[in-house]
Amino acid sequence: MDFKPPHNTSLSKEIIVDEPLTARTLGSGSVDMLATPMMIALMEAAALDAVQRYLPEGWTTVSTRMDIEHLRGTPIGKIVRASALLIEQKGITLKFAVEASDGTGIIGQGSLWRTAVEIEKYKALNGS
């Protein structure tokens, strides 16, 4: 598979923090702030959507590694924007610089790696 998204491809996604997205609700903490797993999921969604249009039909990317810091909490009602910027590609593996902010500053940042996979073959290899 020949797959070459442009270097510096980027995309941003937003959510409004509500009760189902909090650490208390998800069980990842005991505060009513945006849960770290939800911040990371938003970063992953931005990375996925940034390169999906460059993949052949029937292909997608899956997360394989992450190195992300959650720097501070974001309360219910705030808008969080996560961005993913493609900074490196080695074959079918892509490295993104990711960042999340909530209008008052950066709340999370780091790196995220995704690998291109053929959906049906991936599902078969993973028992589905």
Side-chain angles (χ1 to χ4, degrees), residues 44 48 52 55 60-65 92-94 112-117 119 122 126:
E44 288 186 283
L48 169 68
Q52 188 65 43
L55 286 162
T60 192
T61 61
V62 295
S63 285
T64 55
R65 179 178 167 197
I92 58 172
T93 300
L94 308 165
L112 177 69
W113 289 258
R114 295 184 71 84
T115 298
V117 297
I119 295 168
Y122 183 79
N126 290 285

Side-chain angles (χ1 to χ4, degrees), residues 52-103:
Q52 188 65 43
R53 66 184 176 268
Y54 300 106
L55 286 162
E57 185 73 28
W59 286 72
T60 192
T61 61
V62 295
S63 285
T64 55
R65 179 178 167 197
M66 53 190 81
D67 180 9
I68 297 171
E69 295 178 283
H70 194 170
L71 303 169
R72 63 180 181 74
T74 302
I76 291 173
K78 295 281 254 178
I79 295 172
V80 172
R81 172 184 286 255
S83 61
L85 172 69
L86 178 61
I87 58 171
E88 184 179 326
Q89 180 176 1
K90 290 184 180 175
I92 58 172
T93 300
L94 308 165
K95 181 180 179 183
F96 296 87
V98 292
E99 183 177 282
S101 61
D102 66 4

Side-chain angles (χ1 to χ4, degrees), residues 19 21-26 28-35 73-74 76:
E19 194 269 331
L21 303 178
T22 65
R24 182 185 312 275
T25 299
L26 290 175
S28 66
S30 56
V31 294
D32 289 323
M33 299 280 183
L34 179 67
T74 302
I76 291 173

